[in-house]
Amino acid sequence: MKIDTLCVQGGFQPKCGEPRQVPIYQTTTFKYDTTQHMADLFDLKAPGYFYTRLANPTNDAVAKKIAALEGGVAAILTSSGQAANFFAIANICSAGDHVVCSAQIYGGTFNLFNVSLRKMGIDYTFVDPEATPAQIQKAFKPNTKCVFGETVANPSGVILDIEKFAKLAHKNGVPLIMDNTFPTPILCRPFEFGCDIVTHATTKYMDGHSAQVGGCVVDSGNFDWEKHADKFGCLVDPDPSYHGLSYTKTFGKQAYIVKATAHLMRDYGSIPSPFNAFLVNIGLESLHLRIRRHAESALKIAKWLKAQKKVAWVNFAGLPDSPYHKLLKKQFDGPAPCGVMTFGIKGGREASIKFMDSLKVIGIVTHVADAWSCVLHPASHTHRQLTDEQLKAAGIPPDLIRLSVGLEDPADLIADLKQALKKV
Ligand SMILES: *Cc1c(COP(=O)(O)O)cnc(C)c1O
């Protein structure tokens, strides 16, 4: 099936007489007739559901659809994008391990890594995604367990060269994990360029209506954990907390996601409500139509902004003179990477704030990537906790406005931008 069909029909095939929409299994638990049957489920010997923290049929159907869209073998839903990125790392890293990470990432992820996971003993080296392979190679250490980056960095819009990072990761015997939230698999499928594991904040375009907070981790099944058993004993060696079971020997290509379920979800419990998974699925059914419209409207608006005298700069990979246009053409299906762009107003921080406060149709919200157009000033909002130096490293000048182009008529959005520019 082509990707547009998978958006609608992937992950769930009702049999004759069954509901056509994914049913919401709003239940904590599942009933069995014999003690032995349930014991086998606990031992992961038989497939089946027993407790929603570990697995739920609604969540599973939606995870399967996202796995199909990415071209992966398995996926797990989490209660937020933050939880997805935490799980992706914590599934293979523990105290004493090290991660090579692009410096151009979402502020929440940066804080999770640089503060919270550091406190748990996981060390990070942040690298400029545009550095040469030789420069990035210097960041690797004997205890490096993975490489992390974002396909389209939030908010800087930097597009990561997936092949460059995948080659470096594999040369060092570790997987590449990419947060693919902004393009979604409709516009970019990182597995096709060598990435091994993908994460999502389903909170954004996948839901698309700002109705729920959620996340997802997808495994391509391509990374050979057993070949690098010295580094990934957690997946290869017998797990004493699971009766001496080896995830790779028992579950093959599903090993990484089964471990995330049986170990991380069991212990940390960041499971989404089945109702939220249902909402994500409603969003996925139209994702292919929505994300293309978001990208097309954003390109129109980026071109318009670029022609305005009061606009200092516009950063959007869809613009032909963007330094990321070449990577866009190579890695993305479509004329733009998503509906999110950044720009600055001449006059710096104060002018940008005045401009934002003058908008009427476009709202100020701490969100992106849904039907309603909105703006945010990262230096005052999402990235408040960063020092000026960290802001610079994350590619966020103080005048930067992040604009998320929604599904309204672009002519109405341009009219709103125009009247706000007049007030500056
Ligand atoms: C929003 C976002 C996250 C975090 O997702 P939440 O659902 O808010 O926890 C992670 N990565 C990226 C790229 C995001 O845009």
Side-chain angles (χ1 to χ4, degrees), residues 43-44 91 232-251 255 258-264 266-267:
D43 280 354
L44 307 178
N91 207 27
F232 302 105
C234 61
L235 282 159
V236 179
D237 298 340
D239 180 354
S241 86
Y242 247 107
H243 326 300
L245 167 153
S246 152
Y247 291 102
T248 51
K249 286 190 180 65
T250 314
F251 301 105
V258 173
K259 179 175 183 286
T261 303
H263 173 207
L264 297 183
R266 180 196 63 188
D267 292 356

Side-chain angles (χ1 to χ4, degrees), residues 275-296:
F275 179 66
N276 280 6
F278 171 84
L279 291 174
V280 174
N281 189 51
I282 298 281
L284 290 171
E285 288 192 354
S286 63
L287 177 65
H288 51 304
L289 301 177
R290 291 185 292 105
I291 187 76
R292 291 188 191 118
R293 167 73 188 251
H294 280 289
E296 274 164 32

